[in-house]
Amino acid sequence: MESTVWPVYSPFAKMHYGKGLEAGRAQGEARAVLTILEARGIPVDEDDREFIMECTDLKRLDEWARRAITATSAADLFAEE
């Protein structure tokens, strides 16, 4: 049986390997934050929407998702930052 694991040898490959998966996870988290706010009837202006969608920090996006559950405005997501 052949291995499906691709060995990462070159510096370029080491730098970029797995980045697509991480970017996809971040995009999904950002969409989840916006979905939570939308489901709760909280308006999000275009600047905030763009800011959320451009974020690639998964830890920050997780925190925003938690805050979106109790937020009264989109600005509540960014408090204390």
Side-chain angles (χ1 to χ4, degrees):
M1 178 182 276
E2 289 185 39
S3 173
T4 59
V5 176
W6 177 65
V8 179
Y9 296 115
S10 76
F12 177 83
K14 287 179 182 178
M15 185 185 323
H16 296 285
Y17 183 73
K19 295 289 183 176
L21 294 174
E22 189 173 309
R25 285 186 58 209
Q27 185 178 18
E29 288 282 338
R31 289 179 46 87
V33 170
L34 294 171
T35 298
I36 293 167
L37 293 172
E38 180 184 330
R40 297 192 58 237
I42 297 172
V44 180
D45 67 35
E46 198 56 40
D47 288 339
D48 286 343
R49 181 176 303 278
E50 185 175 327
F51 184 68
I52 293 167
M53 288 303 296
E54 288 179 354
C55 183
T56 59
D57 183 337
L58 292 171
K59 188 174 179 179
R60 177 174 287 165
L61 288 162
D62 283 343
E63 180 61 29
W64 288 349
R66 283 188 210 57
R67 290 179 183 185
I69 294 168
T70 59
T72 57
S73 71
D76 290 348
L77 299 182
F78 315 122
E80 301 175 33
E81 292 194 330

